[in-house]
Amino acid sequence: MIRIYTEIEQGKEWIAQYRGCPPLFAYVLGFTETGLIPGISAAGRTSEDRKFTAVADAEFLYYGAEHKPQYPLPPLTAGASPVLISRAVVEALHIPVYFFNAGLPYPPNIPVIDLGGTAAKCLSHGNALKPVIVEHLLEVGLLWGERLAAKVQGSYVVLGECVVGGTTTALAILLGLGINAAGKVNSSHPICNHTQKLAVVQAGLEKMRRGVGGVGGENTPHTPHTSPSFQIDPLQLVAAVGDPMQISTAAMAIALSRSCGVLLAGGTQMLAVYALMRAIAMTYALPWRSQQVVVGTTRWVAEDPTGSTVELAQLINCSGSPVPLLATQLSFSNSRYPQLRAYEQGFVKEGIGAGGAAIVAHLYQNWQQNQLLTAIETQIERMLQINSD
């Protein structure tokens, strides 16, 4: 049920260490106006729908299908929201869940911890977030990482995310850190829109380079000990072309890794978060334990023929402190629901920690394919029943 695609021995050690341990889930919700560009994302049929994807997913994950939502799940071009996978596992295995608002246009209709961030502007402008916000999210993320670690002694925390347009901001961060990620990221489309993503990212990076003029420019966070080992300060990079989830999650994961395991639940976006963690830890001399961290996603992402996730992970790993890439082998090819079978055609693929949740089900309770599929189909059955009433 879990396959290790990179750093196999390190991945095996992580799995052996945390098998059977009760985890904790933390979801970091954020927003970037990049997600409103027509056609950039399939996580919501229209730009207007995509404004509500994160708050709708969080509400469904917290309450389940029976609750009448303030924010209903947005209609998709095809498939069903990956939140069905996450909800199936969290509900059945009674896993505690924390939600963090790193920067959303609308407050979620659930108990949520507000990190004091803001939604990001479109990265093409080259000034997505105010540097002071990025610095704040780093500090508060480190603090919450310590707090969550205290709750799971000897176990691990699953960090999930929901940011529409987040694979495009991920591409921007990876390229900004000198990792040649062009043509390798994933998307919620069946065929990845690499050309569109790259054009948006190149516009943002170009504006950042022209507008900032290196460290010491107007967008540079006021942190005294910037190391010259990076061409660019990672916080400055996030301020220019990132999103609020990335910095918050990277900070939490750095702090968590010091005393417990970390499963970064996602594909392209969490590989970018890992690269960002490493850059921040190196630039600002923050202690962390890279061997405590893995990235976990779905087979649909890891084996996406229109992206190169495994190659991307290998490129990131070439830069030092390598990370294992794991993926659930969950399949929907035998599902009785066409909305789930759409995943096998390349739609949706991943989101709101779905791959991580499926990995947890196997690690914690040894769930196999049939148990997981049954639990997910029960969720969709209940949702369709309520929608038809």
Side-chain angles (χ1 to χ4, degrees):
M1 275 296 286
I2 302 171
R3 183 174 164 196
I4 308 168
Y5 290 80
T6 66
E7 305 303 317
I8 290 168
E9 287 311 311
Q10 192 180 328
K12 281 180 181 169
E13 283 172 23
W14 193 95
I15 286 171
Q17 184 172 357
Y18 295 113
R19 190 180 293 283
C21 294
L24 178 150
F25 276 62
Y27 288 96
V28 183
L29 313 172
F31 187 78
T32 168
E33 288 176 2
T34 311
L36 303 179
I37 297 171
I40 200 81
S41 171
R45 198 174 291 162
T46 67
S47 293
E48 190 58 30
D49 291 334
R50 294 195 289 273
K51 289 180 185 174
F52 298 97
T53 301
V55 288
D57 278 352
E59 193 171 353
F60 189 93
L61 184 51
Y62 185 80
Y63 288 112
E66 282 75 12
H67 168 79
K68 184 163 176 48
Q70 180 179 336
Y71 301 109
L73 292 174
L76 305 178
T77 311
S81 171
V83 76
L84 292 162
I85 302 171
S86 303
R87 173 68 194 179
V89 173
V90 164
E91 184 183 304
L93 303 185
H94 307 291
I95 295 169
V97 181
Y98 290 77
F99 291 92
F100 294 90
N101 176 357
L104 291 167
Y106 305 100
N109 186 34
I110 56 166
V112 64
I113 296 155
D114 195 325
L115 295 177
T118 58
K121 290 191 277 194
C122 181
L123 69 84
S124 62
H125 300 308
N127 60 349
L129 290 161
K130 289 182 176 166
V132 66
I133 293 286
V134 176
E135 290 178 49
H136 168 75
L137 289 174
L138 174 68
E139 286 169 22
V140 79
L142 290 167
L143 181 69
W144 273 104
E146 287 175 15
R147 287 178 182 169
L148 293 176
K151 296 175 188 294
V152 289
Q153 285 156 356
S155 188
Y156 63 104
V157 171
V158 183
L159 289 174
E161 56 72 33
C162 192
V163 181
V164 175
T167 55
T168 307
T169 50
L171 175 62
I173 294 296
L174 289 163
L175 288 176
L177 291 174
I179 294 158
N180 183 17
K184 297 180 179 67
V185 301
N186 303 100
S187 81
S188 44
H189 292 287
I191 296 170
C192 187
N193 49 333
H194 291 298
T195 308
Q196 183 187 22
K197 286 180 188 298
L198 188 59
V200 172
V201 167
Q202 284 175 330
L205 289 173
E206 183 56 35
K207 281 186 181 144
M208 176 189 79
R209 289 186 188 112
R210 282 209 314 265
V212 177
V215 174
E218 60 179 353
N219 273 352
T220 308
H222 311 293
T223 313
H225 43 279
T226 301
S227 146
S229 59
F230 273 91
Q231 292 171 312
I232 183 164
D233 179 291
L235 301 192
Q236 180 185 326
L237 180 63
V238 174
V241 295
D243 68 56
M245 177 283 294
Q246 294 168 325
I247 185 68
S248 309
T249 307
M252 283 185 198
I254 286 169
L256 284 164
S257 74
R258 296 167 187 166
S259 58
C260 68
V262 182
L263 171 56
L264 294 173
T268 301
Q269 286 171 265
M270 286 306 185
L271 286 170
V273 164
Y274 183 82
L276 184 62
M277 284 171 70
R278 192 171 60 194
I280 291 167
M282 194 181 295
T283 304
Y284 294 105
L286 295 177
W288 72 304
R289 295 173 67 205
S290 61
Q291 68 275 19
Q292 287 284 12
V293 185
V294 295
V295 173
T297 187
T298 63
R299 176 179 57 86
W300 304 297
V301 166
E303 299 176 12
D304 176 7
T306 77
S308 302
T309 316
V310 175
E311 193 185 340
L312 179 58
Q314 288 165 340
L315 275 178
I316 291 166
N317 290 346
C318 287
S319 313
S321 303
V323 67
L325 175 68
L326 321 177
T328 172
Q329 297 303 288
L330 173 65
S331 168
F332 286 152
S333 51
N334 295 327
S335 174
R336 60 184 195 270
Y337 291 104
Q339 298 96 320
L340 295 180
R341 290 198 302 274
Y343 278 70
E344 301 298 336
Q345 277 82 59
F347 291 95
V348 190
K349 300 187 190 79
E350 167 70 286
I352 196 129
I359 288 168
V360 163
H362 181 70
L363 261 188
Y364 182 31
Q365 297 290 349
N366 200 30
W367 273 20
Q368 302 302 313
Q369 160 74 23
N370 59 329
Q371 289 162 288
L372 195 46
L373 181 60
T374 301
I376 297 160
E377 288 192 330
T378 301
Q379 291 290 329
I380 205 165
E381 197 176 324
R382 276 154 50 184
M383 187 173 77
L384 294 173
Q385 178 67 45
I386 282 156
N387 290 349
S388 66
D389 286 350

